[in-house]
Amino acid sequence: MASDEGYSGKEYWDEYHDIGLAKPLDRSSKQEKWLRPFIPILHEYKARTVHDLGCGSGYDALALAQLGFVVSGTDISSIAIEHAIAEAATAGLEIDYRQHDIARPLPYPNAKFDAVICNLTLHMFPVTTANDIASEVKRCLVPGGLFLLHVNAVEDLPYRRELQPPVVKLGDEMYCFGRGQTMRFFSEASCRQLMKGWQLLSLEAVRMMRADGAVQKCAWRVVARSPASS
Ligand SMILES: C[S@@+](CC[C@H](N)C(=O)[O-])C[C@H]1O[C@@H](n2cnc3c(N)ncnc32)[C@H](O)[C@@H]1O
């Protein structure tokens, strides 16, 4: 169910995680697609502290901690966060997980992180909210810190329509699917608008395929740095 602010709330995401919709069939193939491309960039810019925004059950956060990064994560779903905490404990890794609605001010001081990753989460929000989240990310990054994200591309819409009917158009680029999942589909121009005020290092259209050759998702891969002094 979309909340008053126009995005799916905790109730929706708790159910999503509870029924296992967030669980990838093949975790390593998921990470190969959505996390692995960011690792060389984190190394290149000597990032040490990395925050995973909308971390879900912590699959990416755990992989980053295993690589030696100092990791934290936030997600609106307490079910996802409980799962993430349990997995980190089993792996003997310390990850600071917090249940938090990222559309609210982030519970961190200024310049806390060298990098923020946000995989397939920022497209859950309408334009103004997404812009506010990007501003909060900028506040929490060190000057010149990295913001690494994947968001839905407009080309993904036909595939999503098939996967999660019924579909209701909520506004420009914004839709509500199936049981109440809000999603936005970014054009190149809307990606550039989101990253206004950032140093955009790269903006790449990516198309992920399933093992059977069908299209899984069309997305934008965004690599940006916060201004050197803000
Ligand atoms: C498609 S999943 C991606 C999860 C994770 N980033 C990954 O790649 O596996 C989207 C995630 O965003 C989280 N989410 C959605 N709305 C949120 C909000 N308002 N605040 C924090 N997390 C949110 C959901 O609970 C879910 O875990």
Side-chain angles (χ1 to χ4, degrees):
M1 192 76 67
S3 74
D4 289 348
E5 293 84 357
Y7 59 90
S8 320
K10 181 174 185 303
E11 202 184 323
Y12 174 82
W13 288 108
D14 271 342
E15 187 190 6
Y16 177 97
H17 287 282
D18 200 30
I19 62 180
L21 285 178
K23 207 166 177 219
L25 292 175
D26 177 349
R27 197 187 288 201
S28 73
S29 130
K30 178 204 170 296
Q31 282 175 345
E32 212 44 57
K33 292 171 180 166
W34 304 111
L35 178 64
R36 204 55 61 188
F38 292 145
I39 305 295
I41 304 162
L42 291 171
H43 287 307
E44 185 185 341
Y45 287 90
K46 302 192 175 9
R48 202 178 71 86
T49 49
V50 183
H51 185 76
D52 187 352
L53 198 66
C55 62
S57 296
Y59 303 134
D60 290 349
L62 188 69
L64 288 166
Q66 282 164 338
L67 289 170
F69 295 100
V70 175
V71 183
S72 54
T74 37
D75 198 281
I76 198 170
S77 165
S78 41
I79 290 179
I81 289 294
E82 278 163 23
H83 185 272
I85 290 172
E87 275 216 339
T90 303
L93 289 164
E94 225 173 272
I95 301 176
D96 172 15
Y97 285 118
R98 300 188 196 183
Q99 186 274 325
H100 182 76
D101 178 351
I102 62 169
R104 309 276 173 224
L106 297 176
Y108 304 100
N110 296 353
K112 169 87 174 155
F113 307 116
D114 297 326
V116 170
I117 66 160
C118 186
N119 262 335
L120 305 172
T121 298
L122 205 58
H123 55 224
M124 307 300 179
F125 305 94
V127 177
T128 310
T129 313
N131 289 344
D132 290 347
I133 295 171
S135 296
E136 267 297 279
V137 169
K138 201 185 280 174
R139 180 187 66 74
C140 294
L141 279 172
V142 296
L146 291 166
F147 190 19
L148 310 172
L149 57 148
H150 286 107
V151 287
N152 283 339
V154 279
E155 291 76 12
D156 199 58
L157 183 55
Y159 304 104
R160 196 54 40 190
R161 275 186 194 285
E162 248 176 63
L163 284 173
Q164 280 176 267
V167 187
V168 179
K169 190 166 192 309
L170 299 178
D172 195 24
E173 298 188 340
M174 196 72 192
Y175 295 80
C176 187
F177 293 86
R179 305 159 87 98
Q181 185 170 346
T182 52
M183 265 199 251
R184 182 177 166 200
F185 296 82
F186 284 75
S187 63
E188 178 175 348
S190 45
C191 279
R192 290 187 184 278
Q193 186 278 333
L194 176 73
M195 302 317 294
K196 217 171 148 191
W198 293 76
Q199 183 191 355
L200 192 57
L201 298 181
S202 68
L203 175 61
E204 191 188 342
V206 293
R207 177 175 282 237
M208 300 302 177
M209 312 303 285
R210 295 185 197 285
D212 63 6
V215 174
Q216 182 188 17
K217 188 169 264 300
C218 302
W220 291 103
R221 177 176 300 150
V222 184
V223 175
R225 290 182 85 191
S226 62
S229 58
S230 48

